[in-house]
Amino acid sequence: MKKLKKQRSVVPVYLIAVVWFIGGFFFRVHRPLGFAVLVAISAAVFLIARQIWRDRTIVVTKPDPEPEQKAQPKAEPEPARAKTEPVDPEIAALRQDRDRAVGEMRRLNDSIEDPTLSRQIDHIEATTGKIFAYVMAHPDQKNQIRRFLNYYLPTTLKLLNAYDRLDEAGISGVNIDGAKGRISEVMAAIVSAFDRQLDALYQGEVMDINAEIKVLQSLLTGDGLADDQMGSH
């Protein structure tokens, strides 16, 4: 079964963002006149861009529903079969990577007794789950976490495993205490890096939101529906 779906181009939105970025160097947007001029230019660019990059209608193919079969009273009913949907290999691989990493973090957290390090592991475990959840919902963003997957995450697990082995030695010494101390010190930077990786995934979405807000402000201003305070933001 085929179904038509309208796909909206994001090019006009990005052009608005570019206009505001460049216009900030030439117009005093903090003043009403500069803001109004830049709003008018943005509206014109948006309308022209929408004419050039029009919405596309794509055809989505869905499997036809299976015809219902009439019940046969004399025949024994067959047991219900669970219907499984095909799984995207990339999504399945990401799910496996997530489960493996989160499981290892939990094991290490149970083994490591240091309370500060334990809280940091809890934090990066939660952040890691959110990063994977976002990319599994937006597979086109997988390239943004390539280094996170291939280096930052496995290196973090490697350091935590090293700390766990050193801690199991049960003795205090220059080498053991020094290595454990350096791992503890770098964990704060790792926590911050994981948070920044998650925040970076939302960059494109935030740009779209800001551009939509600016277009909305320009249309409200042009139609005389904006209050005086809108131009001051």
Side-chain angles (χ1 to χ4, degrees):
M1 180 174 62
K2 295 182 178 180
K3 184 179 179 181
L4 297 179
K5 180 179 179 182
K6 183 171 289 186
Q7 187 177 53
R8 184 177 179 184
S9 174
V10 299
V11 174
V13 176
Y14 284 116
L15 288 177
I16 293 298
V18 172
V19 168
W20 279 86
F21 177 77
I22 298 176
F25 295 99
F26 298 97
F27 299 98
R28 297 180 178 178
V29 295
H30 60 282
R31 294 186 176 181
L33 179 60
F35 179 81
V37 171
L38 198 53
V39 165
I41 295 174
S42 300
V45 170
F46 180 79
L47 295 175
I48 294 173
R50 286 300 304 274
Q51 295 298 321
I52 298 175
W53 289 279
R54 297 177 179 272
D55 296 344
R56 296 187 303 170
T57 301
I58 60 177
V59 178
V60 180
T61 303
K62 294 186 176 180
D64 295 330
E66 297 181 358
E68 296 183 358
Q69 295 182 353
K70 295 182 178 180
Q72 298 179 0
K74 294 182 179 181
E76 291 292 334
E78 295 183 359
R81 297 179 180 178
K83 295 183 179 179
T84 58
E85 297 181 356
V87 179
D88 188 333
E90 289 192 357
I91 300 299
L94 284 171
R95 186 176 293 112
Q96 290 180 353
D97 290 341
R98 178 202 62 189
D99 294 343
R100 188 182 302 111
V102 170
E104 182 67 1
M105 288 180 191
R106 291 176 180 175
R107 183 192 70 79
L108 290 165
N109 204 357
D110 291 338
S111 179
I112 295 174
E113 298 180 356
D114 183 87
T116 300
L117 196 56
S118 180
R119 287 193 298 270
Q120 291 171 329
I121 296 174
D122 283 335
H123 187 94
I124 64 174
E125 177 190 330
T127 305
T128 298
K130 293 175 183 178
I131 291 172
F132 275 100
Y134 186 92
V135 176
M136 285 190 288
H138 307 81
D140 57 311
Q141 301 294 320
K142 185 177 179 180
N143 287 335
Q144 290 197 32
I145 65 167
R146 187 75 61 185
R147 183 168 294 181
F148 172 81
L149 290 175
N150 296 335
Y151 182 74
Y152 295 128
L153 182 57
T155 301
T156 299
L157 294 175
K158 182 178 179 181
L159 290 174
L160 290 174
N161 270 287
Y163 186 100
D164 187 37
R165 290 194 303 272
L166 294 170
D167 203 33
E168 286 181 350
I171 62 172
S172 178
V174 175
N175 294 321
I176 291 178
D177 292 346
K180 288 172 61 179
R182 287 191 293 273
I183 293 173
S184 298
E185 290 174 359
V186 79
M187 280 301 298
I190 291 174
V191 169
S192 178
F194 277 45
D195 289 347
R196 289 176 182 272
Q197 177 66 78
L198 178 59
D199 182 70
L201 291 174
Y202 287 88
Q203 182 178 2
E205 188 172 340
V206 171
M207 288 181 61
D208 291 344
I209 292 172
N210 290 337
E212 289 286 1
I213 291 174
K214 294 184 186 301
V215 172
L216 175 63
Q217 289 176 332
S218 69
L219 294 177
L220 290 174
T221 302
D223 293 338
L225 301 175
D227 55 30
D228 296 335
Q229 295 181 351
M230 182 172 289
S232 61
H233 293 290

